[in-house]
Amino acid sequence: MMPFTYERALDASSAAKAAAQPGTKYIAGGTNLLDLMKLEIEKPAHLVDITRLPLRQIEATGDGVRIGSQVPNSDLAAHPLIRERYPVLAKALLAGASGQLRNKASTGGNLLQRTRCYYFYDAEKPCNKREPGSGCAALQGFNRIHAILGASDSCIAVHPSDMAVALTALDASIETLLPDGSKRTLPIGDLYRLPGDTPHIETTLKPGELITAVVLPAPPAGNQTYRKVRDRASYAFALVSVAAIVRVDAGRVRDARIAMGGVAHKPWRAVEAEKTLRGKPASMASFAAAAQAALRSAKGHGGNDFKIPLAQRVLTRTLADVAGIEGAA
Ligand code: SF4
């Protein structure tokens, strides 16, 4: 590990000012950053510890909920407001990592975790995300876990978070504080970037910008669920996951909000599937058509070709389950 200096921030505005300096990073739970520092993939000269900032509240705000960015994943999953109003989020959190990691990992850190592409973690291999312009070893390499939607010739990595997939389906917003003291709120869909030709730039956050909270609007009407398919039953990242919120009335789908994980550089809102489904009969045929629409632009890279039919089946089955429909996917 490279040498670095460390400070513990006592208030959010001084933390944001300190983190705006070149070579500086925030550290919270450290469940991803410390691994990256040990491998010298991340080499910050200075760390600003934000774990003691007063950002650990989960509070009702009218019909919605505001979640401080330092709330640990375990606390968030267990909170009655989340379990009762946003079960898709509780399920997604509990599908991620392990109990020990969820105890340490923060809400803000979960949003900003880096990809688990093998080549990103191997300094001997070319990787445009780690070293811009060096190439992408995954394109012609072992790419079983990689993206099938929204990828580019520069990077086919996927975002690893389960929590962010549920937040995307829930239309969450992100509150931030900038080093100049100003604040902004952005929809979660505007937080993440697709790789394009700059995969090393993963979010729209500015230098030093601190995530202070995640805000959930009123829970949408309908049933919610999160399904994750992975290589083993626990402690593994998603090959494909689906967060689905579906409202069925008089046998028809009145509303559907769908996000997918493990398929793209960012949590993937399945807008085409949502459009396809609205107003249709709640039937296996409708759900299969929606899944087909969701994957219409999908592209495999050899090792991950299997993800396209897998994603279609997982999405069809999840929509049927959340709508309470029996039948084979
Ligand atoms: Fe690097 Fe992205 Fe290619 Fe993986 S997929 S090697 S992260 S550029």
Side-chain angles (χ1 to χ4, degrees), residues 115 117 119-120 126-129 135-138 146 154-157:
T115 185
C117 170
Y119 302 108
F120 177 66
C127 171
N128 288 322
K129 188 180 282 296
C136 171
H146 288 74
S154 297
C155 180
I156 56 171

Side-chain angles (χ1 to χ4, degrees), residues 77-193:
H79 198 280
L81 279 175
I82 303 303
R83 288 163 55 106
E84 287 161 21
R85 296 191 196 175
Y86 308 96
V88 63
L89 176 56
K91 282 184 183 171
L93 283 158
L94 293 174
S98 65
Q100 291 98 326
L101 286 167
R102 292 194 293 269
N103 289 342
K104 284 298 288 176
S106 67
T107 301
N110 189 321
L111 288 171
L112 298 182
Q113 61 182 304
R114 311 291 307 271
T115 185
R116 270 28 178 222
C117 170
Y118 331 106
Y119 302 108
F120 177 66
Y121 287 76
D122 182 349
E124 301 294 312
K125 296 290 191 305
C127 171
N128 288 322
K129 188 180 282 296
R130 178 172 24 81
E131 197 178 328
S134 63
C136 171
L139 276 172
Q140 304 301 326
F142 190 62
N143 51 37
R144 174 178 166 75
I145 64 171
H146 288 74
I148 52 174
L149 289 163
S152 72
D153 290 342
S154 297
C155 180
I156 56 171
V158 297
H159 196 273
S161 173
D162 292 291
M163 181 192 80
V165 178
L167 293 179
T168 299
L170 287 165
D171 284 328
S173 297
I174 310 299
E175 289 184 353
T176 70
L177 175 69
L178 287 108
D180 66 3
S182 62
K183 297 177 180 179
R184 67 173 182 145
T185 301
L186 61 161
I188 189 168
D190 292 349
L191 173 66
Y192 295 112
R193 299 175 79 253

Side-chain angles (χ1 to χ4, degrees), residues 294-318:
L295 277 302
R296 194 162 288 137
S297 61
K299 179 172 175 263
H301 303 277
N304 67 348
D305 290 349
F306 76 98
K307 274 193 177 187
I308 299 173
L310 176 67
Q312 282 184 345
R313 288 198 301 273
V314 174
L315 182 48
T316 304
R317 182 71 262 164
T318 306

Side-chain angles (χ1 to χ4, degrees), residues 223-227 242-248 253 255-260 270 272-278 281-295 311-327 329:
N223 294 333
Q224 308 178 12
T225 199
Y226 185 77
R227 175 172 290 196
V242 174
I245 305 162
V246 175
R247 180 165 69 90
V248 176
V253 177
D255 194 21
R257 300 185 193 195
I258 304 162
M260 303 180 76
E272 293 304 320
E274 294 176 358
K275 275 192 213 150
T276 302
L277 212 45
R278 281 195 193 104
S283 65
M284 290 307 292
S286 300
F287 300 136
Q292 208 169 20
L295 277 302
Q312 282 184 345
R313 288 198 301 273
V314 174
L315 182 48
T316 304
R317 182 71 262 164
T318 306
L319 292 171
D321 286 350
V322 80
I325 303 295
E326 301 280 337

Side-chain angles (χ1 to χ4, degrees), residues 251-274:
R252 289 194 175 265
V253 177
R254 303 300 170 186
D255 194 21
R257 300 185 193 195
I258 304 162
M260 303 180 76
V263 295
H265 197 253
K266 63 181 198 175
W268 190 262
R269 187 75 182 250
V271 179
E272 293 304 320
E274 294 176 358

